[in-house]
Amino acid sequence: MKTLLLVLLTSFAAFAGEALTGEVEKQALNMSAIIMFLIFVGATLGITYWAAKRTKTAKDFYTAGGGITGFQNGMAIAGDYMSAASFLGISALVYAKGYDGLIYSIGFLVGWPIILFMVAEQLRNLGKYTFADVASYRLRQTPIRTLAAVGSILTVVLYLIAQMVGAGKLIQLLFGLDYEIAVVLVGVLMILYVTFGGMLATTWVQIIKAFLLLSGATFMAIAVMAHYNFNFETLFATAVQMKETTSIMAPGGLVSDPVSAISLGIALMFGTAGLPHILMRFFTVSDAKEARKSVFYATGFIGYFYILTFIIGFGAIVMVFQNPQYLDLAKQAVDGGAPILGGDNMAAIHLSHAVGGDFFLGFISAVAFATILAVVSGLTLAGASAISHDLYASVIRKGKADGMMEMKVSKVSTVILGIVAIYLGIAFEDQNIAFMVGLAFAIAASANFPILFLSMYWSKLTTRGALFGGSLGLLTAAVLVVLGPTVWVDVLKNAEAIFPYKYPALFSVSAAFIGIWFFSITDRSENSEKEKEAYEAQFIRSQTGIGAEGAVEH
Amino acid sequence: MKQEMVDRIKNDPDFLQLTRVRSKFAWTLTIVMLVIYFGFVLVIAFDPSLLGTPLSEGSVTTVGIPVGVGVIISAFILTGIYVRRANGEFDELTAKIKAKAKGE
């Protein structure tokens, strides 16, 4: 292993030198990428087969039996969270704007400590399969489960569309496949992983992907730094020279006014703590101790990854920007400047070629594809669980559903969600979907998180409060995004936005908390008294884990 | 959980100790994280040029670089601090409470 690494490390220097000055050679069919991708697909389908044999009960399907270790879960969380969008998008943002990319990635990280301090272990102690288990623990099942499921499904679908469209475009660029074929391929693989392998297969796909992505990004960052003798000052100085501006070393226009800055921060921080596919991962570990460790490792991996993307973005400035090999000549002829092939989002991909040649380009392309697969699988599983566990088993069958039947519904839901994702992925091909992940985070922060958080910490929460306040948060978030600049101006082409801010979270999260508080304290129903009384027992369980679901030994 | 067990645990001094100390600890760390992050964000909103100051005379590297990376590292360290104490001290207390709840 060590010699292999050494060979890799010494060979890249030669590669990098040649790549920067070598001939322009554009490949139509990227064979090394396709071979590495096929190896990944083969291996993950093998895992799915292995996992399918171990997935017998609903508990296996939703939580991989609850026996995943903290370290594995931390890695899987990182695999779930580090999407292709964050790898390519954040390095592209650094490539284009420099420091702003770092600001953006920090927002995606700081939600994790909050998840650990406030919800992780309580979630593990109270829940079974979905975060709605916790939100509805002492409240009326039908309304709260329905609201939580709606919040989950909306978040999942918005996120899925963004991933699918990104996947289609990326694969089109990297492998030369048609957009439709790429989207269908992603959809079909994801359906296979989730329906047959459930959470166990999904978890391992995420762990492998996290490992590949972290290794690939580490290699790229080291390769870049080696060029500058591991001296950041030299790297930054060269980048500033290339860009002919020092603005990349300071905050730019990403957040212009205090309201937007705080609002974006709230959306990212509390949105992370309300993402159903992330919350679901806490049920895969055996107890509170492992749940805590999961977040510790996940925060480490994700933070490390964002530092790497920052180096990679600067690496792209010095090695890709103005490098004739990656220049989009046709576009340059029309628009001027120095546009790169495939747009800024390809910055990291081109950099992989610059530092490691065709072979490494193939590896990173395959990793990007693997990343998409891992993220969409986690999303689909969370969406399917909301349908089967919350809507079917708890709302429709009033908690009397048979486990096998529930699992069947879950698998059918997975297939349906997969088809919907493929369909929407194709339908949104040419749409401006930049707002979708933002909207997903806004809904997660404004509907899912406030209900979950107050159900754990506020004894006076009632069903009416959670239902009205949560719905209010959800609607406010959705309406303000539509009336704001990202949809009203960018998508609907109106001249001026009705709501001036891009990020609604400051307003919608406040609306949710105030709504929940107001409709809870004014709730005089008999039922609400019982709900308040039930808090004590819930609190004891959430703090100690007495009565919590245990793990199954494999 | 039966009501008598609820009553027993809620009056258990170990349980009171656990919830009091842990909630104080968790909130303190949460506030530290919020202050670090929103402090960072507010500097960006109100005085972005502060982060654009060169680290030293004539250097290209700005104050913003170590500050930004510092925010990332602080998130990791804070989780480490919590996990260390929770998996030790708090879990020992919890085990005691559980044993009493089952035993007596």
Side-chain angles (χ1 to χ4, degrees):
Chain A
M1 189 63 209
K2 257 191 187 155
T3 30
L4 179 73
L5 205 72
L6 208 71
V7 171
L8 277 173
L9 282 172
T10 40
S11 58
F12 83 73
F15 270 135
E18 278 163 37
L20 279 172
T21 51
E23 284 188 303
V24 180
E25 206 175 15
K26 201 167 169 276
Q27 293 204 329
L29 200 66
N30 188 340
M31 274 319 285
S32 55
I34 291 172
I35 290 167
M36 271 179 270
F37 171 67
L38 289 178
I39 294 172
F40 176 80
V41 170
T44 47
L45 286 177
I47 287 170
T48 307
Y49 176 75
W50 165 83
K53 286 194 292 187
R54 278 160 187 77
T55 302
K56 297 199 178 68
T57 62
K59 186 178 166 68
D60 295 335
F61 183 79
Y62 291 123
T63 70
I68 303 287
T69 68
F71 181 80
Q72 291 166 340
N73 195 37
M75 194 88 171
I77 289 175
D80 213 347
Y81 199 63
M82 302 179 298
S83 61
S86 62
F87 175 53
L88 302 178
I90 293 177
S91 49
L93 193 57
V94 176
Y95 169 76
K97 302 248 158 76
Y99 194 74
D100 271 1
L102 185 64
I103 301 176
Y104 196 64
S105 59
I106 287 172
F108 280 97
L109 183 72
V110 290
W112 287 101
I114 308 296
I115 291 182
L116 172 67
F117 307 148
M118 290 290 142
V119 299
E121 54 195 281
Q122 288 81 356
L123 203 65
R124 179 66 205 95
N125 284 341
L126 290 172
K128 208 169 149 197
Y129 304 146
T130 63
F131 89 90
D133 290 337
V134 182
S136 68
Y137 191 86
R138 66 195 153 97
L139 304 181
R140 281 195 0 250
Q141 295 293 309
T142 306
I144 300 304
R145 291 261 183 195
T146 311
L147 177 63
V150 169
S152 297
I153 294 166
L154 277 175
T155 314
V156 163
V157 169
L158 286 164
Y159 223 113
L160 259 182
I161 296 174
Q163 297 293 327
M164 286 305 239
V165 174
K169 301 215 158 141
L170 187 66
I171 294 162
Q172 202 177 8
L173 272 165
L174 296 180
F175 298 86
L177 286 174
D178 279 346
Y179 180 88
E180 284 82 8
I181 296 175
V183 170
V184 171
L185 192 63
V186 170
V188 168
L189 281 170
M190 142 191 124
I191 290 173
L192 288 176
Y193 294 150
V194 179
T195 43
F196 291 104
M199 184 54 107
L200 192 57
T202 305
T203 302
W204 281 101
V205 168
Q206 287 166 344
I207 291 175
I208 294 173
K209 163 270 171 109
F211 176 75
L212 291 175
L213 182 58
L214 288 170
S215 319
T218 302
F219 177 77
M220 279 166 83
I222 292 179
V224 167
M225 291 315 295
H227 252 267
Y228 297 94
N229 293 322
F230 295 93
N231 183 337
F232 281 97
E233 175 69 18
T234 326
L235 171 69
F236 294 142
T238 319
V240 165
Q241 225 172 11
M242 301 285 279
K243 284 265 182 180
E244 292 171 355
T245 169
T246 51
S247 68
I248 52 169
M249 299 306 299
L254 178 73
V255 274
S256 40
D257 61 295
V259 173
S260 298
I262 294 172
S263 210
L264 174 66
I266 289 177
L268 292 176
M269 216 168 197
F270 301 136
T272 305
L275 292 175
H277 61 295
I278 294 294
L279 295 173
M280 192 177 179
R281 291 228 52 94
F282 289 103
F283 304 119
T284 65
V285 294
S286 55
D287 54 24
K289 190 182 232 105
E290 296 301 314
R292 291 181 204 119
K293 281 193 209 159
S294 318
V295 191
F296 173 65
Y297 290 121
T299 311
F301 290 134
I302 298 168
Y304 171 64
F305 173 70
Y306 286 148
I307 293 175
L308 293 179
T309 54
F310 187 63
I311 299 173
I312 289 169
F314 269 90
I317 296 178
V318 293
M319 293 182 163
V320 175
F321 183 65
Q322 299 208 345
N323 183 338
Q325 196 175 1
Y326 308 113
L327 207 57
D328 189 338
L329 294 169
K331 199 159 177 235
Q332 191 185 34
V334 181
D335 302 334
I340 48 172
L341 291 164
D344 283 357
N345 281 332
M346 296 297 285
I349 302 287
H350 291 319
L351 180 67
S352 72
H353 183 259
V355 300
D358 286 340
F359 175 80
F360 192 61
L361 169 73
F363 176 75
I364 287 294
S365 306
V367 167
F369 200 172
T371 287
I372 293 167
L373 280 174
V375 174
V376 292
S377 301
L379 284 167
T380 309
L381 181 58
S385 313
I387 297 172
S388 59
H389 183 62
D390 297 329
L391 291 182
Y392 169 75
S394 306
V395 174
I396 299 172
R397 302 297 304 271
K398 307 284 174 209
K400 294 190 188 73
D402 159 61
M404 291 318 281
M405 193 59 204
E406 187 179 327
M407 193 157 76
K408 257 185 208 152
V409 174
S410 202
K411 291 184 171 184
V412 173
S413 312
T414 305
V415 176
I416 294 172
L417 269 175
I419 294 169
V420 168
I422 292 172
Y423 173 78
L424 292 176
I426 292 172
F428 279 89
E429 178 183 355
D430 297 317
Q431 305 294 315
N432 181 337
I433 51 147
F435 67 94
M436 282 194 180
V437 171
L439 181 57
F441 266 85
I443 291 177
S446 318
N448 306 353
F449 175 73
I451 307 178
L452 180 69
F453 181 77
L454 291 175
S455 75
M456 286 173 177
Y457 289 99
W458 193 41
S459 62
K460 296 190 178 65
L461 175 75
T462 73
T463 300
R464 191 176 85 148
L467 181 65
F468 287 10
S471 311
L472 187 69
L474 200 162
L475 287 175
T476 315
V479 169
L480 292 184
V481 167
V482 171
L483 298 181
T486 44
V487 174
W488 200 253
V489 179
D490 296 348
V491 178
L492 300 173
K493 307 289 175 209
N494 290 295
E496 211 168 312
I498 297 176
F499 176 73
Y501 302 109
K502 266 193 197 165
Y503 316 106
L506 178 59
F507 305 93
S508 54
V509 173
S510 309
F513 274 103
I514 294 170
I516 294 174
W517 167 78
F518 179 77
F519 290 107
S520 289
I521 57 155
T522 55
D523 189 350
R524 303 257 176 269
S525 64
E526 211 175 294
N527 199 50
S528 72
E529 290 308 314
K530 279 192 214 138
E531 290 168 355
K532 289 174 202 163
E533 277 164 26
Y535 179 74
E536 226 166 41
Q538 181 199 327
F539 182 68
I540 289 173
R541 175 163 159 180
S542 85
Q543 294 291 314
T544 61
I546 294 174
E549 289 279 322
V552 176
E553 291 295 327
H554 274 286
Chain B
M1 212 181 299
K2 292 216 175 67
Q3 189 56 42
E4 73 178 302
M5 189 142 138
V6 169
D7 290 333
R8 200 165 62 205
I9 296 174
K10 88 173 176 198
N11 294 317
D12 179 341
D14 283 334
F15 179 73
L16 294 173
Q17 159 91 359
L18 171 74
T19 51
R20 205 182 53 234
V21 175
R22 178 161 61 194
S23 113
K24 196 177 153 203
F25 188 53
W27 277 107
T28 309
L29 291 176
T30 302
I31 289 165
V32 171
M33 189 71 247
L34 290 174
V35 167
I36 291 175
Y37 177 60
F38 282 101
F40 177 67
V41 164
L42 288 176
V43 170
I44 293 163
F46 285 109
D47 191 8
S49 60
L50 193 68
L51 293 172
T53 320
L55 258 186
S56 61
E57 194 68 37
S59 77
V60 178
T61 312
T62 53
V63 176
I65 306 287
V67 169
V69 173
V71 175
I72 293 181
I73 293 171
S74 73
F76 181 59
I77 290 176
L78 288 175
T79 57
I81 293 174
Y82 181 82
V83 171
R84 198 186 152 85
R85 188 164 178 200
N87 281 3
E89 184 188 333
F90 297 157
D91 272 357
E92 277 163 31
L93 261 178
T94 310
K96 258 163 97 183
I97 298 163
K98 275 186 176 169
K100 274 189 271 180
K102 275 183 201 153
E104 287 169 15

